[in-house]
Amino acid sequence: MEVKEHFSLKNYNTFGIDANARYFAEVNSIHALQEVLSNDTYKRKIFIGGGSNMLLTGDIDALFIYVNLKGKHIVQESDKHVSVKVMAGENWHELVLWTLDNGFGGLENMSLIPGNTGTAPIQNIGAYGVELKDTFIACEAVRISDQKLMSFSKEDCAFGYRDSFFKNEGKDKFVITAVTFSFTKKNHILKTGYGAIEEELAKNAITSPTIKDISNAVIAIRQSKLPDPKELGNSGSFFKNPIVSLETFNAFIGNHPNAPYYKVSDNTYKIPAGWLIEQCGYKGKRIGDAGVHKKQALVLVNYGKASGEDIICLAEQIINEVMNRFNIKIGPEVNIIK
Ligand code: EPU
């Protein structure tokens, strides 16, 4: 395994932050991953997949390990369902397109999400009413402490909204190497109720949509609101939508009766952070090369030469402003690497 030194991570994070890794290595097999994990020369090790959910705050004194495990294969198949094991380094959107080409249903609403398959379970990625957990069966991960390859069921993963075991008790303890999904082969369960999917289908006069039609609708909606990281550096939603108590919610909605919200449970409500940020006047705001996206206030962007600190400065201003105005605390969704 070749270890590079003072390696620019600009092309390995979708924010396009030009920060250096003290050391950088790419692994292409589980064996190579286990080998590098057992090597004590490097005190701090950081794993990267698609680099789509991280913010680098500066040069980092660590060994960055690019987990580039490839491959997917069918592990079980019946008339109605198919289970597919996908290696961690497979690009997420390419996987979605592959399922559609094969007529497999389940991932269509999650089209065009940047990143790789292996990092998807960590934050239980989701979009347009569907989350990774809905098709997830199991994953495999190498335990960092003893390099043991272990299997995790859906229950073990304790999925929640942008949350899992791997963000809590399992944080920094495992590297996910593969994910197994279950897809439908017929009688697909179509979810068109969320966001603008129905509008988009109607616009194209589609009355009985296929999974491919839904994917195309999601792609069109995402392209109209979310910046393409190849053109404008970003990490998707920078903030999570805050989940507040009934008491906080009642106070909030009393003052802002037209605000959008989602009921999570009898005692908890989710409020779109994008709306809160827009109300504070930050949508489209730019400070130097750090900015808030013009079409979706939840997304922070790098106009070119922003440093990680520039992005954090802007994020802190926004968090404070939302707190002052609404008495609601919003927090980052992306991993901030210091
Ligand atoms: N809104 C505003 N102003 C904005 C943005 C949103 O008022 O600038 C309002 C919208 O009008 C709408 C509500 O907020 O009433 C929700 O907006 P949207 O449907 O765009 O979704 P979101 O809650 O802002 C979440 C995910 C996105 C995902 C979309 C669609 C999180 C943190 N983000 O955004 O995920 O694509 O729903 O399902 O849950 C990502 O995680 O990187 C991501 C892009």
Side-chain angles (χ1 to χ4, degrees), residues 104-157:
F104 301 159
L107 299 187
E108 55 281 357
N109 291 49
M110 294 195 287
S111 299
L112 215 63
I113 296 182
N116 286 354
T117 306
T119 38
I122 302 176
Q123 61 152 336
N124 181 28
I125 61 167
Y128 302 101
V130 176
E131 291 182 331
L132 172 112
K133 71 170 171 54
D134 302 331
T135 46
F136 180 97
I137 296 187
C139 69
E140 281 178 4
V142 173
R143 185 158 62 195
I144 294 173
S145 59
D146 60 0
Q147 297 90 54
K148 191 175 165 205
L149 184 63
M150 296 169 67
S151 189
F152 291 83
S153 69
K154 189 167 170 174
E155 207 181 14
D156 295 334
C157 292

Side-chain angles (χ1 to χ4, degrees), residues 126-129 161-162 194 222 225-226 235-237 239-241 260 262 272 274-275 278 283 295-298 333:
Y128 302 101
Y161 166 61
R162 295 293 192 276
Y194 191 98
R222 286 188 77 97
K225 281 202 208 171
L226 297 168
S235 255
S237 300
F239 300 101
K240 277 203 259 193
N241 288 329
Y262 318 101
W275 186 87
E278 182 171 348
K283 193 170 185 170
K295 297 177 189 161
Q296 163 56 289
L298 205 50
E333 190 214 313

